[in-house]
Amino acid sequence: MSDWEKIYNEKKFEIITQKPSVIISRYREIFNNKDKILDIGCGNGRNSVFLASLGCIVDAFDVADLDWYSLVLSDIKDNILFTKNNVNTFDFKKDNYDKIILARVIQYLDEKELLKLFENINFSLKE
């Protein structure tokens, strides 16, 4: 179990809202139906669920094994693929995503991990 997963499981950090983050709500018009989105460090899935409700296809991962995914309504769940993963082991694929969101993740990475993550993001974003 990772340190982050332990912190999450011990409820030392918790996102209690189900509303999407302010920035995702504010810029909702840039997310189009059928956009392929990667939600890195998806937490309780609030942004993934919101984007799926807009018709986006969302790949979401978090280092913690979260229960939220089992609670997602079936009509939205078809648009979300959740995996337990982290930024160091996720299989980034070339030109695979229209947009990538990253909320509350980068502050937990060291410089080497951060540089590699940005390299992987650039690699995975469509032109």
Side-chain angles (χ1 to χ4, degrees), residues 9-50:
N9 287 336
E10 292 175 355
K11 305 290 186 211
K12 292 179 182 175
F13 177 88
E14 190 172 20
I15 298 173
I16 54 175
T17 182
Q18 297 301 311
K19 294 179 184 178
S21 65
V22 172
I23 198 156
I24 298 299
S25 296
R26 183 175 295 146
Y27 294 102
R28 72 182 291 161
E29 70 277 353
I30 71 165
F31 298 100
N32 303 305
N33 188 35
K34 301 300 180 197
D35 270 356
K36 186 145 187 205
I37 311 293
L38 176 61
D39 186 357
I40 299 173
C42 64
N44 70 352
R46 64 194 182 128
N47 292 323
S48 297
V49 169
F50 176 74

Side-chain angles (χ1 to χ4, degrees), residues 97-115:
Y97 297 103
D98 297 297
K99 295 165 183 82
I100 296 176
I101 61 173
L102 180 67
R104 295 185 174 180
V105 173
I106 60 174
Q107 66 267 35
Y108 299 104
L109 304 177
D110 64 32
E111 183 178 1
K112 184 178 176 184
E113 291 170 318
L114 193 56
L115 291 172

Side-chain angles (χ1 to χ4, degrees), residues 1-10 12-15 41 43 62-66 104 108:
M1 179 182 300
S2 70
D3 289 340
W4 171 245
E5 190 171 11
K6 184 177 179 185
I7 289 168
Y8 182 85
N9 287 336
E10 292 175 355
K12 292 179 182 175
F13 177 88
E14 190 172 20
I15 298 173
D62 199 285
V63 70
D65 189 9
L66 307 170
R104 295 185 174 180
Y108 299 104

